[in-house]
Amino acid sequence: MNAEVFLDLLRSIVLFTVVVLSVIRIRQRKGKLCMVFFAMAVSSLMLSEIYWLVYDSLRPDIRMPFAANEVSEWAFFMLLGVSLSSRSKLGFSESKKEMFGAVLFAAANVALWIGWSGEWIQDILTGFVYAYFLGVLVTKIKNEGVLNRLQWILLYTDCFLLIAGQTAIFLIPEQLGKFVDLSCYVLLFATCAVFLFAAIFYNIKKDKHEEAVCYSYSAFAWVATTMYMSADIFYLMAMFLSIICFPLMYISIKREVTEE
């Protein structure tokens, strides 16, 4: 069993546990509609993981350009976004700039994915649901006032430097490209650490459930971005971090519906 298969299996176990806990709360009528959509989202990703584990065991080291698990991943991003917007009406008109930035960032990611893989249809369709999730997330963050002006500027700068660095790798000499690539990894994982630390911190604080939800979802969003931009050991590191995000999101949603 290689490291990737082990992490896929571990993540599947964590996803299954989160689904079971979510369903228990729903059956006890302690979970609102957002918990229902969250459970459906995690179930979709769990099915994707199981599909990939089975496929990888049957056809190891054979790349499939377009697989059925992609549909489950699209459903996952859509349902995860709905779980954010279902509890209360989000003021999308109040966050036009943030939504535009999210869509632009998603579009830049799609262009990079196509440059790396050449899988146009898959990457574009994934980009649509990824952009939807990011758009809902930044709207939620804006509506709740979780980030101040300086933090928004830092986040925009972070995204710009990341996209600029990844784009430059296609254009500059290989030796310099390796340095820029490593710098991008430093930026990616440093930002992961910030979001994860904030998510854990606000999940611990009793009266900060909105901040806990926003930071927990943001941590996953950035970790997912890191996974899509990583390879080899860095991909495995990002996958491990993604495993941490699901319990954090579950705890934050549970507290949000309990303390409202």
Side-chain angles (χ1 to χ4, degrees), residues 170-185:
F170 288 96
L171 308 172
I172 59 180
E174 184 177 351
Q175 283 300 113
L176 183 57
K178 290 180 180 179
F179 172 77
V180 174
D181 190 33
L182 183 59
S183 299
C184 288
Y185 279 125

Side-chain angles (χ1 to χ4, degrees), residues 10-11 13 23 34 44-45 47-48 57 81 93 96 103 108-109 136 147 165 167 199-200 231 244 250:
L10 178 60
R11 192 161 80 154
I13 294 171
V23 170
C34 59
S44 297
L45 187 61
L47 291 173
S48 174
S57 64
S93 61
K96 291 179 180 178
V103 171
N109 274 266
V136 174
L147 298 183
T167 303
I200 294 169
I244 302 173
Y250 166 75

Side-chain angles (χ1 to χ4, degrees), residues 14-195:
V14 171
L15 291 171
F16 177 76
T17 303
V18 170
V19 170
V20 170
L21 292 174
S22 300
V23 170
I24 290 173
R25 291 197 67 82
I26 293 167
R27 287 177 62 86
Q28 293 174 343
R29 298 187 178 180
K30 294 181 179 179
K32 299 289 180 72
L33 195 58
C34 59
M35 181 68 78
V36 175
F37 284 118
F38 176 73
M40 292 170 64
V42 177
S43 298
S44 297
L45 187 61
M46 182 181 68
L47 291 173
S48 174
E49 291 288 306
I50 293 172
Y51 175 93
W52 191 252
L53 281 169
V54 173
Y55 176 84
D56 196 50
S57 64
L58 294 175
R59 297 184 177 182
D61 302 321
I62 298 178
R63 174 68 176 170
M64 181 181 287
F66 191 89
N69 69 304
E70 300 294 339
V71 179
S72 291
E73 290 186 14
W74 299 336
F76 165 71
F77 278 116
M78 293 291 290
L79 289 165
L80 204 60
V82 174
S83 72
L84 276 175
S85 61
S86 60
R87 192 179 70 86
S88 58
K89 186 177 180 180
L90 296 180
F92 290 101
S93 61
E94 301 170 8
S95 55
K96 291 179 180 178
K97 291 188 297 183
E98 290 76 15
M99 287 185 64
F100 176 76
V103 171
L104 190 63
F105 180 70
N109 274 266
V110 171
L112 290 170
W113 301 341
I114 293 172
W116 291 325
S117 68
E119 297 168 0
W120 284 74
I121 297 177
Q122 175 182 313
D123 291 338
I124 290 173
L125 291 175
T126 301
F128 276 119
V129 294
Y130 175 69
Y132 168 77
F133 170 58
L134 292 184
V136 174
L137 177 57
V138 296
T139 300
K140 173 84 169 177
I141 294 171
K142 178 69 173 182
N143 288 180
E144 301 296 344
V146 172
L147 298 183
N148 58 37
R149 180 177 175 80
L150 176 60
Q151 289 171 321
W152 278 113
I153 292 173
L154 290 173
L155 181 58
Y156 288 144
T157 303
D158 199 352
C159 294
F160 174 78
L161 291 175
L162 179 61
I163 296 300
Q166 295 285 11
T167 303
I169 295 173
F170 288 96
L171 308 172
I172 59 180
E174 184 177 351
Q175 283 300 113
L176 183 57
K178 290 180 180 179
F179 172 77
V180 174
D181 190 33
L182 183 59
S183 299
C184 288
Y185 279 125
V186 171
L187 184 61
L188 282 166
F189 284 98
T191 308
C192 285
V194 171
F195 277 125

Side-chain angles (χ1 to χ4, degrees), residues 241-254:
L241 293 179
S242 75
I243 296 172
I244 302 173
C245 293
F246 294 104
L248 288 173
M249 287 191 287
Y250 166 75
I251 293 169
S252 68
I253 290 181
K254 183 181 74 171

